[in-house]
Amino acid sequence: MQRFLLFLALGLVCPAVAFAELSVPHFFSDHMVLQRERSAPIWGTATPDAEVVLELKGKTATTKASADGKWRVGIQTGNADGLGSTLTIRSGSETIKIDDVLIGEVWFASGQSNMAFTMRGAASYDTALAESDLPAIRMFNAATTTAVEPQDDIAGQWSVCSPDTLASYSAVAFFFARKLHQELGVPVGVIKSAWGGKPVETFTSREALETLPGTKRLVDAAIEADKAYDPEKAKVAYQARLDRWQADAAERRNRPNEQRARAPRKPIPPKRPLNTEGKPGVLFNAMIHPFVGYAMRGAIWYQGEANAKPGAVPYDQTLPLMIRDWRQRWNDDFSFYFVQLANFRGPSTEPGTPDPWALLQDRMRLILDTTPKTGMAIINDVGAANDIHPKNKKDPGERLARWALAKDYGRDIVFSGPLYRDSKIEGNAIRVTFDQAGEGLKSRDGEALKRFEIAGKDQQWHWADAKTVGKDSVLVSSADVPAPVAVRYAWASNPEGANLVNSEGLPASVFRSDDWDDVTSAGRQSAQKASK
């Protein structure tokens, strides 16, 4: 009896130490896709010190849970397989069976609202829906959530592409995956973890952000705000705002329709600063960290709108910082392909208009030269003046896929629109040379090339005449600038009329040959006026 009571007491005092349920994160689940030709890591929890055995397609992997019950082991995946297999995980008397596991290509899709944008809103949804019975394409839609500390799991589920599931898929990620599947003939799985309206800093770990002076200031500010945060005071203040909002709503309902102004937004319940979705590192903790180590070919990224503002830390610093952070944590220099911002707002009409949007687009271009294994889909031909969410998601997705097909899968194709290589002054003109010209540069519409600007030492910009020379060059000049020193192309939020393309019809990226600082207080006002 004494021995029984002792065992009972031990079980009551430390049940978590003695026994732990065999478990894996949500993304190791039915219909998942594992990266082919890899030792794909699988991880989870089990009873401390217990043996864990994995079986997949005749291959076995064995490991032992640590003292805190965590385990991780790689299992060989072999060649691509679209038939569907069962991954079995055993520990002691417990068994997990994960069914319909495909072996193929895995990509991670992240960013803000244009990556979260679903197929139901895409311009080509109806056409894609009619051809969406594609069981070899799978997508894991991760929940949008926040966390103060790095997390090991996140809600979500894998789904098989079909007419019943397509509407919920990230449109850019779907068109990217479909293009790869069509070209490679293998299963393609995408893990989508994106949240609209969020800056790049929130997807980056605070540890990484603290290594860059500009982003360290953001982290320090968030930490100080968190220290000063008083939940009770915040709750009282929120309740007062909510009471005022409800009273105003009741009063508004009693007004005649013509006297009702637009209703104010309902107050949002308070959150700790370090648990608020736009703050540095918060989405990394909740929506990136859980996936660290999942075997994949690379990542695709559509974000930047939230960073295209005066005073922001330069994007050619912040995005490379995030890329390095992710690669270090995965211990893998995987490919990283991103979408350059689309044309947006009303078109500018004057040369030399300072524009934070164009500045960020150009800084995206610079990343290609500074950060290895990156690529950029140029989409300054698919945007909408009054909509920051272009409905055309097919072109961005397929242009991302071009980079992957060329760089990761060895296809001999033109994989980008024309990219500025260099410029050289030739008399009263500037010769601009481009990479990715294909069979030759040309005008998209057969008209004269537009949206080239040229300036002399006075830094005054003028619209320029431009013509293609040879296969990969454009000669730019202006009668108003007899001694040019700098040239720009498509330098505007919405460079209406920009028409330089390559032989594949892919548009040329914005660029500038100068390094003049154009984001000034006066410049911001000019840019805002031009965009209205």
Side-chain angles (χ1 to χ4, degrees), residues 508-526:
S509 170
V510 58
F511 75 86
R512 61 176 180 168
S513 66
D514 64 282
D515 59 359
W516 303 333
D517 184 9
D518 65 347
V519 183
T520 63
S521 176
R524 287 198 295 274
Q525 296 173 5
S526 299

Side-chain angles (χ1 to χ4, degrees), residues 190-272:
V190 176
I191 296 171
K192 187 269 291 181
S193 189
W195 195 336
K198 307 302 176 286
V200 65
E201 295 85 1
T202 197
F203 295 92
T204 311
S205 73
R206 287 197 288 271
E207 292 84 356
L209 293 169
E210 287 174 345
T211 66
L212 187 67
T215 53
K216 184 180 186 302
R217 287 193 290 271
L218 300 176
V219 173
D220 291 345
I223 291 174
E224 288 303 311
D226 196 67
K227 289 178 180 177
Y229 178 71
D230 185 322
E232 290 305 315
K233 287 184 178 180
K235 184 177 180 180
V236 170
Y238 162 71
Q239 189 60 52
R241 291 194 303 272
L242 184 62
D243 290 344
R244 289 194 298 270
W245 181 85
Q246 290 173 334
D248 178 70
E251 192 273 333
R252 284 168 50 79
R253 285 194 292 269
N254 293 324
R255 298 180 198 168
N257 289 339
E258 64 273 10
Q259 296 181 17
R260 294 182 186 178
R262 186 175 181 179
R265 182 176 296 180
K266 185 176 181 179
I268 300 173
K271 271 188 176 183
R272 280 185 63 182

Side-chain angles (χ1 to χ4, degrees), residues 145-149 151 195 198 202 206 222-223 225-226 229 269-283 285-286:
T145 184
T146 63
V148 176
E149 301 295 336
Q151 300 298 297
W195 195 336
K198 307 302 176 286
T202 197
R206 287 197 288 271
I223 291 174
D226 196 67
Y229 178 71
K271 271 188 176 183
R272 280 185 63 182
L274 289 184
N275 199 30
T276 300
E277 52 267 24
K279 298 300 181 180
V282 172
L283 297 192
N285 288 339

Side-chain angles (χ1 to χ4, degrees), residues 129-184:
L129 184 65
E131 303 170 348
S132 61
D133 185 14
L134 299 167
I137 295 178
R138 313 284 175 90
M139 192 171 294
F140 182 88
N141 280 325
T144 52
T145 184
T146 63
V148 176
E149 301 295 336
Q151 300 298 297
D152 295 327
D153 197 5
I154 186 170
Q157 63 181 10
W158 284 96
S159 64
V160 179
C161 184
S162 73
D164 295 328
T165 62
L166 182 68
S168 66
Y169 279 20
S170 159
V172 168
F174 167 74
F175 287 117
F176 172 83
R178 189 181 71 171
K179 183 67 172 177
L180 294 188
H181 175 58
Q182 290 170 341
E183 295 289 334
L184 304 174

Side-chain angles (χ1 to χ4, degrees), residues 22-40:
L22 180 65
S23 68
V24 292
H26 283 79
F27 41 84
F28 294 127
S29 53
D30 293 350
H31 315 303
M32 71 177 180
V33 181
L34 293 178
Q35 179 61 45
R36 61 174 168 167
E37 300 165 357
R38 294 277 185 91
S39 175

Side-chain angles (χ1 to χ4, degrees), residues 212-215 313-322 324 363 367:
L212 187 67
T215 53
V313 182
Y315 202 73
D316 54 334
Q317 297 178 24
T318 54
L319 184 60
L321 180 69
M322 190 199 79
R324 291 194 301 271
R363 285 174 170 157
I367 294 169

